[in-house]
Amino acid sequence: MHTCKESPDVSHPLPDTTPRTEIPAAVRDLRERMKDFTINCKPNPDLTRDLQPGFLLPYLLDFDSITYGRWDYWAEAMCEGTLPDYPIPPIDWLHSSDPRTRKMLETALDAIPRHGSWQSMGAWEYFCYLLAWMLWGFGHPGCDAPREPAGCEGASLRLYQVLNICAWMLWPYDYLGDLLAENAYGKGQGFFPTPMPLCCMMASMLMDQGGDMRTQTVCDPAVGTGRFLLAASNYSLRLHGQDIDQMMCQATLVNGYLFAPWMAKPFPFLEAAGLDPGQAEAVSDQVVSQEPPNAAELAGDTGYDTKEASVAAPIRKRRRRGENEGVQGTLF
């Protein structure tokens, strides 16, 4: 994770926007009420719904409005074209996954194939489907309804009944990173996520210095599932990441929609250059030419992936060049 000192002017800089990460009373109350929430292990096979792009967004916005209020914060900034005069609503990140929420997510993954577990030969196809389905449900630009994997007919409506994004948000954590790492994806693709407490500690050491840090840029050139950026979202509204693995880029976007809207939908008045498609490749190459000191060497055989850019944007997707082109794996 890298922070820089360049930041655009804001109309009303604050004397102190240091976040306070105590659990809001509304969140505490909801956690108590929902601690034994039902996990739907037997979705109705006869349910019919005409799901349209963005169908998940109302659930996301309504629940966020009664918990963290981050989408309201984002909307206020977008409408005004400048930063609100109060701090980023903080999230008290869990240091490990909530067992019941984790079970709900695995049950949702198991609901994709018609028979058996998601942890089969098609495991990552099912995982990719979940991410693509959620991004389509959030109405992310360029994301159409994903094709159901072979042998998974009806997966969309099963996910609709099982996936509980409210519980996911109420117990905030990077569950996607854990699921990928613990199911052999880490060993096969070189993905080993940093523990969440360490991410939070690093974000605090770098950015919890008092004053207004909201326009300081934070960049992770091998973003994985966005864990470092989630930790930094308590301080910064300018979060950037890129990866060579498309599934990682999509996982980061899903985490952004759930927890850090400005990661999935950056502010145009802060990120004019970064949101310009004509400058996307230059911005991506600039990231790997900067810190950490050996980033350029480690990323030397990669280039900006123009073909898959729209699927991952605003997270930057890179690819290997030459004979390795198309090979998946994280940069570092």
Side-chain angles (χ1 to χ4, degrees):
M1 183 169 64
H2 168 61
T3 61
C4 76
K5 297 182 179 179
E6 298 178 1
S7 59
D9 292 335
V10 293
S11 59
H12 36 244
L14 305 181
D16 184 7
T17 56
T18 303
R20 306 290 182 255
T21 55
E22 61 268 16
I23 304 174
V27 174
R28 286 200 306 269
D29 292 344
L30 281 169
R31 285 181 183 173
E32 181 62 28
R33 289 163 51 191
M34 290 183 61
K35 63 183 180 181
D36 297 318
F37 68 89
T38 301
I39 299 174
N40 185 0
C41 299
K42 296 182 178 180
N44 180 3
D46 299 320
L47 180 76
T48 58
R49 290 288 189 279
D50 182 20
L51 301 181
Q52 298 295 320
F55 70 89
L56 278 175
L57 205 53
Y59 302 102
L60 172 67
L61 299 181
D62 286 349
F63 196 74
D64 178 76
S65 70
I66 63 172
T67 50
Y68 308 110
R70 285 192 158 195
W71 276 98
D72 290 340
Y73 190 88
W74 175 89
E76 181 178 339
M78 289 292 284
C79 290
E80 297 297 329
T82 189
L83 303 185
D85 58 359
Y86 57 97
I88 297 170
I91 288 181
D92 58 311
W93 301 105
L94 301 185
H95 286 183
S96 60
S97 63
D98 171 68
R100 194 161 188 83
T101 306
R102 167 69 180 258
K103 181 179 179 181
M104 178 275 296
L105 280 172
E106 295 198 74
T107 302
L109 283 164
D110 283 337
I112 295 174
R114 288 188 297 174
H115 307 287
S117 166
W118 75 278
Q119 294 167 307
S120 64
M121 291 184 64
W124 307 123
E125 186 179 8
Y126 303 148
F127 205 98
C128 282
Y129 177 78
L130 171 67
L131 299 177
W133 183 86
M134 291 187 70
L135 290 175
W136 168 61
F138 292 142
H140 190 67
C143 291
D144 299 322
R147 179 180 298 179
E148 294 174 340
C152 299
E153 293 76 9
S156 179
L157 288 178
R158 291 193 293 274
L159 275 179
Y160 176 78
Q161 297 176 73
V162 178
L163 186 68
N164 186 338
I165 65 169
C166 296
W168 193 341
M169 296 167 66
L170 195 54
W171 284 276
Y173 182 74
D174 174 27
Y175 296 91
L176 298 174
D178 278 10
L179 283 167
L180 286 168
E182 293 171 15
N183 285 278
Y185 197 81
K187 184 176 181 180
Q189 305 288 21
F191 172 65
F192 306 97
T194 304
M196 196 69 189
L198 183 55
C199 293
C200 293
M201 182 192 71
M202 292 176 67
S204 177
M205 290 174 64
L206 285 169
M207 309 197 75
D208 193 0
Q209 303 173 13
D212 192 346
M213 301 293 289
R214 293 176 298 169
T215 60
Q216 297 298 298
T217 58
V218 180
C219 180
D220 190 339
V223 74
T225 51
R227 190 169 289 189
F228 272 119
L229 299 187
L230 291 178
S233 72
N234 278 343
Y235 307 93
S236 172
L237 297 171
R238 304 185 68 194
L239 307 175
H240 305 268
Q242 61 182 353
D243 209 285
I244 199 172
D245 191 314
Q246 180 175 313
M247 187 159 65
M248 297 294 176
C249 295
Q250 291 179 299
T252 297
L253 285 175
V254 167
N255 275 332
Y257 272 98
L258 291 171
F259 300 116
W262 41 93
M263 191 158 76
K265 292 183 175 293
F267 297 113
F269 59 89
L270 292 180
E271 308 293 355
L275 292 175
D276 182 355
Q279 300 187 48
E281 183 171 359
V283 170
S284 180
D285 289 342
Q286 182 182 22
V287 168
V288 297
S289 69
Q290 296 177 345
E291 295 189 23
N294 61 339
E297 177 184 351
L298 293 172
D301 64 340
T302 69
Y304 180 66
D305 193 335
T306 305
K307 181 179 179 181
E308 300 294 341
S310 62
V311 177
I315 303 301
R316 309 295 182 187
K317 169 71 171 63
R318 293 182 71 83
R319 59 169 174 76
R320 297 191 187 280
R321 294 191 179 100
E323 62 182 12
N324 292 325
E325 183 172 333
V327 176
Q328 296 296 297
T330 51
L331 282 172
F332 305 114

